[in-house]
Amino acid sequence: TVELEAVAASLGVGRRRIYDIVNVLESLEVVEKGASGRYTWCGMMHLPGCVARLEAEWAAPGAKPLVVLLAEDDSSGKENGGAVAG
C-alpha cells in the first residue's frame, strides 16, 4: 500500500496533483482506496473491461461526446487561460 501524503512529500509536488492522478487510476480500477488515505495497486487486469464499459456508455443512445460536454461546461475558456481551444 502507498500513503499519498508521503508520495507527494518525497516527489516534492502538491498533494492535489497526486490525488488527481490517483483519482484517474481509481476510476480505471487500477488502484483502490483503503483506510487512512492508503491506496493499493490492483494491477492492469481490470483495465480492458473498464475501458469497454466506458466505451459502451459513450456509444449509448443519447450520450453526448465528452468534448461537447466539456465545451458546454466551460464555454468561457477559464481552464485554459481564457482561450477557447478549437
Side-chain angles (χ1 to χ4, degrees):
T1 62
V2 175
E3 185 177 344
L4 299 186
E5 298 289 333
V7 171
S10 69
L11 293 175
V13 298
R15 181 181 68 157
R16 184 71 242 154
R17 299 292 67 95
I18 299 296
Y19 278 95
D20 290 343
I21 294 166
V22 169
N23 283 335
V24 171
L25 295 174
E26 189 175 11
S27 70
L28 294 173
E29 300 174 7
V30 174
V31 299
E32 81 181 6
K33 186 174 184 179
S36 306
R38 291 183 170 273
Y39 287 79
T40 302
W41 180 258
C42 299
M44 305 292 268
M45 66 184 185
H46 298 291
L47 190 57
C50 185
V51 170
R53 282 191 303 277
L54 290 171
E55 287 175 339
E57 287 177 22
W58 295 334
K64 291 185 179 182
L66 183 59
V67 174
V68 172
L69 292 174
L70 290 174
E72 289 174 359
D73 286 346
D74 188 21
S75 60
S76 66
K78 290 178 187 171
E79 287 294 316
N80 58 7
V84 177

